[in-house]
């Protein structure tokens, strides 16, 4: 019991099952967890279980995605009325696309603000994972901060899950500040990745704490595929581009704070910095993957700020067995601060995110398959792409043995408009579209990024559209013909171009 | 000559024609001017004239749109290679859509940053309108600040147009600060609309000042159509919505700082506040139209911050003949500060902008006619819609005697994604889509905003798409069928629905 340093809480310790009974039908829950890190591993799964046997439908707000099968079981058992602001679970995804669950896909930096603005989004119960509880009854989070501070602030009741699988030495890496609602919103005085502006715990009125549950289940480990030829090529193109920026005097070898999305491509890109000429790097990101810790080990990375740590089992073993080595180089912040427009624009973050597809004018789809089916969600990509110093989007030029081109005439769903995209990159090459008009962008994107198998087909679309005129040439009736072709014939390759390889 | 208080400049006074000779073929020009206010009225028109007789092609960067026929003549005479970040001229628009002029349509708050980042965008000559010149040789702008400070900073040579048509008492309403490039970017310490953070003039190295020209041509006056039934209905819906926000305790009767786009609809909306219960209002906007000064006169508006003043002739007569009355209630800022993500998010600006069309899921097109032809440009709408407290978009439900519906199945070009739109309004009604999933949004938008003539047709699209499943239901092959129908038959009304009026 030594992790609970506030005596009055000791009577509140109970089983996850009992604590889960605090959650009633139609409740709105605010739960900790961001990219599978620091999520509820005991109480929320029990809510899913209960829904098997009773009428229990809740709205679940989180930081970002949850770990294990929590979202899957909530969805499968019909426990979800609405889910926001992000998810990345295959089962839940299916329920969303079947209209069984309402999903609100939000810029991750904006959910806390929405909660402050719209009072009807009252949180009935917050479920927050903690590594320990302070002498004042305050919550020390685990591997993520996410939206937990605002959930705790707005909740009627708070359930704390004290997770003993994490070392207590995690205490101290959090930097937590609850921003005031406008018109009293204060300056966020972060001038560097390592600026500390708040407390190392989440303040809570102890009277709201309704239950405390012990767990010892670690975070569900990230599974990251090893870099392959394509992701390594993408990484090289980005490094060469950044080297050129340095050579031409626009950036220094320390660049500016880096942000990278989650997944294999982002991890491979960051890993590329290990053997680069860049040095004294910093990160101002939302999630820290294995590559961050490799960069710290290699001495390349001085400091990393984010909202969560999501790593593989082996990386987890490495860092939590020797946490003092990393502790002074890390800060975890609430996601409305890790992703704050104010800070991202001030620091000049270099944002590197992945696209599902992009089009010849630089619009990016990062959420919807063929314009209709939700994949995961926009996440924080928009917070960084809009407000950072450089906005880079990467994806392979094609997939499914060449049946899908990830560069299309028109994206089937727009998450990031042409105005918010500076650089596009595939394994084929990189297009720097800063300061270019749409028709200039189309030419450089087709030339540099598109797979040769699709280049001629895309060029033909563009040239035909160009003849029709217009600032942004399109043939509306054919704009989605590639997506339709894929649905009809299983490939985006048109008959006429079937044997083309330029 | 008393407007030039710096003696060494007096030898530099010359004719506009002579000064225009400083501009050479392929030059990049940075010119003052924002929504027709404070633009170059002598030298830039001479550049257009010269292009009639000699090979002279230049890139022109401005704050926003220019006045009179300057953009038209530059385009007509073939003087434009590239134009950014905004325009609103019918002749230039045609040249852009014919691919005679390359146009880069940017978030107005981001051009200054782009100039700092990309050194290749060096400014050869800046042409800046001034009301006077200080004892140190610094420039006091006229009715706009726009991007002038960064243009002056980056320019090799500066031409100043001293415009004696404006009262010298304009001096003092400007608040000018040049932000440093990252990683040295400072906090923008604006906590209220009226916070002053800089100088009342643009600093310039006097050695760069190559010519000074006198003019006495006033700004080209704004022409604003009177409110009509539709714009008045839109205004009423917005006021009722805001009253409800107050009643439910989310806002006070002072609301939060208002931003309104330019034009008839925006002006009508703001005018609506005159006879409302709201009081002690403030504005943190980019352009101030007639309605701002009416609101000051009525005592409703305490303070207005923007980057320009663009008013009709009668309003201009009113304010410049009695400028002391308004002076203490106004500040004009550089557009990267009037439109700064940092400040807009901190103050919690309520952004009210106009759409060309929006779709059933809340995506907004504010730039392109049928997805291809540029109208004006995105302007600052994105700066406010993304970062403000509330993002409202308005347009009539239909136009061209009902042949065009402004609510369509899918927007033909996306400027503002579903993530950045809180409220949509037409004369039919208002849809509050905050916190709603796409299918919920579709139902409230179709019910509240669509004209009855199109309601059934749109509902049918949605219901058919819904049957196919997907988080954001669409029938890709029909997504633009309304636009195609309009091109083919001059109306978006499908045969089947020709006689429908619900």
């Amino acid at each position: 019991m030594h992790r609970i340093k506030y005596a009055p809480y000791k009577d509140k310790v109970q089983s996850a099952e009992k604590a889960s009974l605090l959650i009633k039908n139609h409740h709105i829950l605010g739960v900790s967890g961001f990219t599978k890190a620091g999520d509820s591993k005991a109480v929320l799964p029990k809510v899913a279980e209960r829904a098997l046997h009773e009428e229990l439908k809740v709205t679940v707000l989180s930081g970002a995605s949850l770990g294990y099968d929590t979202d899957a079981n909530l969805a499968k058992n019909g426990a979800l009325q609405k889910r926001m602001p992000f998810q990345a679970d295959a089962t839940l995804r299916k329920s969303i696309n079947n209209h069984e669950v309402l999903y609100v896909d939000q810029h991750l930096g904006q959910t806390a603000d929405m909660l402050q603005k719209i009072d009807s989004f009252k949180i009935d119960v917050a479920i927050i994972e903690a590594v320990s509880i302070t002498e004042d009854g305050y919550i020390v989070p685990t591997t993520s901060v996410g939206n937990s501070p605002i959930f705790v602030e707005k909740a009627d009741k708070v359930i704390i899950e004290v997770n003993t699988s994490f070392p207590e030495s995690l205490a101290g890496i959090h930097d937590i500040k609850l921003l005031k609602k406008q018109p009293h919103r204060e300056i966020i005085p972060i001038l560097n990745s390592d600026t500390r502006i708040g407390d190392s715990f989440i303040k809570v009125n102890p009277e709201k704490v309704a239950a405390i549950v012990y767990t010892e289940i670690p975070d569900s480990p990230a599974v990251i595929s090893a870099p392959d030829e394509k992701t390594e090529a993408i990484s090289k193109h980005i490094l060469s581009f950044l080297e050129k920026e340095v050579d031409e005097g626009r950036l220094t070898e320390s660049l500016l704070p880096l942000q990278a999305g989650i997944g294999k491509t982002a991890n491979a890109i960051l890993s590329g910095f290990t053997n680069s000429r860049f040095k004294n790097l910093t990160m101002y990101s939302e999630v820290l993957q294995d590559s961050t810790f490799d960069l710290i080990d290699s001495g390349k990375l001085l400091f990393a700020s984010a909202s969560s740590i999501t790593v593989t089992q082996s990386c987890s073993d490495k860092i939590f067995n020797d946490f003092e080595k990393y502790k002074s180089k890390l800060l975890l912040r609430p996601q409305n601060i890790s992703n704050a427009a104010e800070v991202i624009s001030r620091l000049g973050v270099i944002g590197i995110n992945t696209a599902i597809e992009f089009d010849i004018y630089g619009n990016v789809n990062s959420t919807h398959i063929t314009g209709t089916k939700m994949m995961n969600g926009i996440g924080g990509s928009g917070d960084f792409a809009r407000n950072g110093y450089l906005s880079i989007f990467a994806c392979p030029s094609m997939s499914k043995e060449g049946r899908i081109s990830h560069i299309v005439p028109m994206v089937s769903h727009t998450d990031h408009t042409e105005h918010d995209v500076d650089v596009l990159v595939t394994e084929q090459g990189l297009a720097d579209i800063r300061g270019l008009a749409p028709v200039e962008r189309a030419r450089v994107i087709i030339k540099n990024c598109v797979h040769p198998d699709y280049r001629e087909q895309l060029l033909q679309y563009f040239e035909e559209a160009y003849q029709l005129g217009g600032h942004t040439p399109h043939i509306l009736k054919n704009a989605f013909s590639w997506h339709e072709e894929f649905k009809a014939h299983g490939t985006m390759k048109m008959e006429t171009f079937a044997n083309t390889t330029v």
Side-chain angles (χ1 to χ4, degrees), chain A residues 129-201:
Chain A
E129 189 180 74
V131 71
S132 58
I133 289 168
T134 70
E135 286 79 0
D136 298 311
Y138 299 156
I139 300 165
V140 181
T142 58
T143 44
S144 71
V145 178
N147 284 317
S148 298
I150 186 80
F151 292 156
V152 168
E153 171 73 11
K154 292 208 65 168
D156 281 345
K157 292 179 180 161
V158 177
I159 299 173
I160 303 173
E161 289 188 17
V162 177
N163 190 326
T164 54
S165 81
F166 296 108
E168 274 195 90
S169 57
L170 265 178
I173 64 161
H174 310 94
D175 184 40
I176 293 163
K177 187 178 169 69
L178 199 66
L179 300 175
K180 295 197 183 106
K181 185 179 170 183
Q182 291 88 356
H184 307 293
R185 175 63 52 88
E186 54 278 77
I187 287 170
I188 307 175
I190 295 174
L191 291 169
N192 294 292
S193 295
D194 63 357
T195 310
R196 184 178 267 286
I197 63 167
D199 303 315
S200 53
F201 44 76

Side-chain angles (χ1 to χ4, degrees), chain A residues 1 7 44 109 130 134 157 202 214 221 268 311 325 341 356 370 383 393 398 448 455 496:
Chain A
M1 299 281 272
L44 197 55
T134 70
K157 292 179 180 161
I202 300 171
Y214 273 96
V311 292
K325 180 176 166 191
I356 286 178
T370 59
D383 300 319
F393 280 92
M398 61 182 197
N448 294 3
R455 207 174 285 154
T496 342

Side-chain angles (χ1 to χ4, degrees), chain A residues 103-123:
Chain A
Y103 177 50
V104 184
D105 169 33
Q106 291 183 315
H107 296 302
L108 292 186
Q110 299 194 346
T111 306
D113 258 27
M114 181 203 68
L115 285 170
Q116 283 191 318
K117 285 180 222 178
I118 313 186
D119 302 333
S120 55
F121 268 105
K122 221 167 57 65
I123 304 291

Side-chain angles (χ1 to χ4, degrees), chain A residues 33-37 63-67 86 220 262 286-288 308-310:
Chain A
F34 191 105
T35 55
K36 307 205 287 183
S65 55
L66 305 179
F86 189 79
S220 46
I262 196 160
E286 52 186 15
V287 49
L288 305 179
S308 79
I309 296 173
T310 301

Side-chain angles (χ1 to χ4, degrees), chain A residues 330-394:
Chain A
L330 300 173
L331 273 186
L332 296 185
R333 309 181 188 273
Q335 68 198 69
N336 59 328
I337 293 182
S338 65
N339 289 31
E342 169 174 346
V343 182
I344 291 165
S345 60
R346 183 185 303 138
L347 302 191
V349 175
I350 296 176
I352 305 171
N353 289 287
T354 50
I356 286 178
E357 61 182 7
F358 58 89
D359 70 25
I360 53 175
Y361 300 115
N363 300 287
V364 169
N365 170 12
S366 54
T367 54
H368 283 69
I369 306 294
T370 59
T372 61
K373 292 211 164 80
M374 174 54 64
M375 187 68 195
N376 298 329
I378 192 166
S381 54
D383 300 319
F384 292 93
R386 172 67 66 89
N387 297 304
Y389 177 92
L390 254 179
S391 158
I392 301 174
F393 280 92

